[in-house]
Amino acid sequence: MTTPPAAVAVIRAAIEDAHLAELLQRPGTTAARAVKALEQAGWTITPTSTTSTPQRAA
């Protein structure tokens, strides 16, 4: 999966706007800021399946 350049630009801008203390002490707040920025830019954020299966050696 490749990330669209527009999404990368929005996420990067949200991270660059965050203070260093926020990045270090409240990374969840920074993540929420990035999600909000993506939604404001027109992206739809939806959860993906969290079902995982055991991995087996080939």
Side-chain angles (χ1 to χ4, degrees):
M1 178 174 107
T2 59
T3 305
V8 173
V10 171
I11 293 168
R12 182 175 178 167
I15 291 172
E16 287 176 350
D17 287 346
H19 294 280
L20 180 59
E22 180 182 320
L23 289 168
L24 295 174
Q25 297 173 4
R26 296 184 302 274
T29 302
T30 305
R33 180 189 306 238
V35 169
K36 183 176 180 181
L38 284 167
E39 290 174 337
Q40 289 175 342
W43 292 86
T44 301
I45 308 299
T46 58
T48 58
S49 173
T50 57
T51 305
S52 62
T53 58
Q55 295 182 357
R56 297 183 183 166

